[in-house]
Structures are given as C-alpha cells and as structure tokens.
Amino acid sequence: MSIATMSPPATVTPPATRGSDFATLSGRIAAAGLTKRRPGYYVARISLVAGLYVAGWAAFVAVGDSWYQLLVAPFLAIVFAQLAFVSHDIAHRQVFRTRRPSEIAGLIAGNLGIGMSYGWWMDKHTRHHANPNHEERDPDVVPDVLVWSTRQAEASRGIPRLLGGWQAYLFFPLLTLEGLSLHVNSARALARPSLRHRWAESGLLVLHFAAYLAALLLVLSPAKALAFLAVQQGLFGVYLGSTFAPNHKGMEMPSEDDQEQWDFLRRQVLTSRNVRGGHFINVLLGGLNYQIEHHLFPSMPSVNLRRARPIVRDYCDEIGVAYTEAGLIGSYGQALRYLHEVGAPLRRGSEA
C-alpha cells in the first residue's frame, strides 16, 4: 500500500503479525538513537521561550497606557502558546526522566506561566493518547460545543445541535474562546480532591491570574485593558487550537470493534495526520506537526521527531498501514470538510 496523503480507508485489515509490529518499529527507532534525551536542545529552547516571555511583559510595561499595546498582545499570545508547547513536552517526560522535576517544571510553565492547570491537562491529554479519536474514551472529541461524528450529530442537544450544522464555518471564530475555556476548565479542576498537588496548583493559578489582571489594570485604562485581554487571549486560543486541529480531525474514529482489533501502532497511526513543512512549520506547531511519530513515541524529544518520520513512514508502507500527511493549508481543508460532512444531519433537520 502506498503512503496516503488523504484520510485512510474506513476498513483496515491488520496483518497476521500485528502483535510484533510496534516492537519491530521501536527497535529501529532505538537503533537510530532517537529516544535519547536532548538536554542541550531543551536548555536552549526553554531559555529562549522564557526570555521572550520576560521581554513581552517588559515591552508591555514600556509601552504603557497606549493603544500600541494591541501590537504587544499578539506577541504575548504567541509566547503563551510556545510556553504551552514546552509544558506539553515536559508532561510527556521529554525534558526530564523522572516525575518530580517534570511536575515542578510543568506547574511553573502551565499554572504560573499561562494559567493552565498542569494536572488537569495532563490527565486529559493522557486519556487522549490512550484512545485517540475514540468517541467515548477520548476527551478531545466529546461533543461539548462541536460534534465530531454523524452519530454525535444525530444525538446532539443544546449548543452542539444549534451550531453543528455550520460548525465548519464557525470553527476558527470559536477558537477565540479556547483560551478562556482552558482557564475555566483549569479552575474547575481545582475542586477535584483527586488532583495531584491541588494546593500548589491552586496557589500558582491564583498568582497567575492576579498578576495578569493587576498588570492590565495598573498599566492600562479599563477600555485598553479589556481590548488587550480580548486580543491576547483570543489569539492565544486561535493559535493553540489551530495547532491541534490538523492532527486528528477528519481521521479515523475507531469503534469499539476497531479498538479491540487494532494494535497500538494502528490505533495511533490511523487516527493521526502529519503536517508537512520545513523548520518554520516545526517551530510554528511546536513539533506537533509530526503527530504520528509523537503518538507512537510520546516521550521522544520533539526535536527528534523529524528524523523519526522517514523510519516510521517507510515501515508503515512496508506493513501496509496508511500513513497520512498533508500541507498545513491542506490539513485544515481536510479537517473543515470533515466537520461540514458530519454536521449534515443537523442541516437537513433545520431545513425540514
């Protein structure tokens, strides 16, 4: 089977040796030395992002009570997203081998840096990795605002039913609320007794929000503060959501039967899409453009994913598993067309 550039076929017949497929691939990746830590890379990357974070807030103070702050806001939106990418790598143990330093760094980057509960996000993201694109098991395809399958569309109520028919057109505008959603869900997670380091998370989140709002109100007039908040948080949400959108939307959504039949390799590869591009795309998407490799080897340093790609791609071709990749614009097109298709039952219902 040739390497796919569009979504894989709905029915995939796994080979008889499927149980050993991932072990074979894992051996090839290990032989290439791609699972080794890259401390120098992460020292440089974290230092750069931290420096840009400090520079952004220094520029905010220097510009003062001026509408030119609307130029600072997009810069800080980008830096917040880049800090979220760093937090993602930390959570996957790409930076530190052990839990304690990972948790400390994750709490600083997530809770203190961008106002995101590290524990809440890590739990959610771990469940996503275990069951990508599974309607009942993947929290990223829960129909809370949008619907991700025809079955969800037909069973939808409330906001998903209201918006689902035209969700492809509303997708990017709705992403302006993604940052707010992240903050609200993080705050709600603090009520869970099961949340690890609950008090530390609470303190750091309160400190982030207090410092953020105090900076806006002390430096800016109320109108400018509101405008800065809307632009910075809105663009942060759009950037973050646009990074994750091409990865799985429009790819296979396994049923319970598929879940039982597919091995780990197929469950990760068939539900993921890579985004082609050079170093600019790598930086823009935080390395998550190599989504297939990341899902197969989540603890692999993101800087190594580019080198893992040809090994994984060739191996998938060798065993007959569709390997999907597209350009950035093409990946958005595939995702949006899929969202429009699954919303069709709701459009027909509104026209009846």
Side-chain angles (χ1 to χ4, degrees), residues 1-9 251 269-270 272-276 292-293 308-326 334:
M1 184 184 297
S2 61
I3 298 169
T5 56
M6 297 292 288
S7 296
M251 296 303 296
V269 174
L270 296 177
S272 303
R273 176 194 295 112
N274 275 11
V275 178
R276 290 191 297 264
I292 294 172
E293 289 71 27
R309 172 181 168 269
I311 299 173
V312 174
R313 181 192 58 196
D314 292 348
Y315 184 68
C316 286
D317 191 44
E318 180 183 321
I319 64 174
V321 173
Y323 181 100
T324 304
E325 54 184 1
Q334 292 177 31

Side-chain angles (χ1 to χ4, degrees), residues 9 53 59 70 86 96 111 139 143 148-149 167 171 174 180-181 212 214 247 260 298 310 322 333-334 338:
Y53 189 91
L70 297 186
V86 169
F96 305 101
N111 291 60
W148 307 106
S149 71
Q167 61 185 9
F171 182 72
L174 285 172
L180 176 63
S181 174
Y212 184 96
N247 298 340
E260 295 299 325
Q334 292 177 31
Y338 175 79

Side-chain angles (χ1 to χ4, degrees), residues 37 89-99 102 299:
R37 294 291 186 271
D89 287 9
I90 291 170
H92 279 294
R93 306 277 182 92
Q94 296 176 20
V95 183
F96 305 101
R97 288 185 181 276
T98 57
R99 170 182 282 182
S102 296
S299 64

